[in-house]
Structure formats: structure tokens, C-alpha cells
Amino acid sequence: MSEKEIFQVVKLAMKSSKEKFGLDPKENKRLLFRLGLELGHSVSRILKGKDVKEVLEEILNFWNYEGFGKMKISSYNPIILEGSECYDCLG
């Protein structure tokens, strides 16, 4: 699977989990957790970072570039990522 295809699959899976299948994060935590694991495995194949900081920067760039919302790294120790204006947060 190409990098572009992985991005499309991640975006579609995240959106469809709520919109198409009516999954409520509060009621389907296990299913959404499993979906997150599967998507994480797919995305991890394209990450090229050699250390934690580089990998986090790649995740940040992926999230922002693909239009999932805004994300920033608040801290590297402990690792804190802050998301805002995500498509799901906006309804």
C-alpha cells in the first residue's frame, strides 16, 4: 500500500466509524481502540523517524496535512500531543 493510499484509508476509516456506521466513541471504546491499533500499524510502516522526536513530528505533520484538525506537541517529556479543531470535535 502506498503512502497516499494509507492516508486515504486512515481518513476514511476515522470518518466512517462515526458517520457511516454510527459509532459513538463513548459506547464503542473497544472497537474504536482496535481500529486505532490497526490504523497505527498501517501508518507506522511509512514513518521514517529515527527517534521519538522525529516520529512525533511526522505524526504531527500527517495529522495537520491530511486535514484531521490541528495538532501540536506540548511536551516531549512526558509526551503530550494537543489536538483541536478536529473534524469530529466540530460535529
Side-chain angles (χ1 to χ4, degrees), residues 1-10 39 41-48 62 66:
M1 188 177 289
S2 73
E3 185 173 321
K4 184 176 181 178
E5 290 171 321
I6 290 173
F7 291 154
Q8 291 171 339
V9 167
V10 169
L39 294 173
H41 286 293
S42 295
V43 171
S44 70
R45 292 186 212 140
I46 61 170
L47 298 175
K48 297 173 178 39
F62 165 77
E66 291 300 319

Side-chain angles (χ1 to χ4, degrees), residues 23-78:
L23 294 178
D24 180 352
K26 293 177 185 173
E27 296 176 9
N28 298 285
K29 288 181 182 179
R30 287 185 184 181
L31 181 58
L32 293 173
F33 179 78
R34 180 71 181 159
L35 175 63
L37 287 176
E38 296 296 327
L39 294 173
H41 286 293
S42 295
V43 171
S44 70
R45 292 186 212 140
I46 61 170
L47 298 175
K48 297 173 178 39
K50 298 188 187 321
D51 60 31
V52 172
K53 187 173 181 178
E54 287 181 10
V55 170
L56 289 174
E57 291 290 338
E58 284 184 82
I59 292 169
L60 175 89
N61 291 334
F62 165 77
W63 188 268
N64 293 330
Y65 179 78
E66 291 300 319
F68 291 118
K70 295 181 180 177
M71 183 180 289
K72 69 179 184 175
I73 300 167
S74 297
S75 173
Y76 288 99
N77 189 15

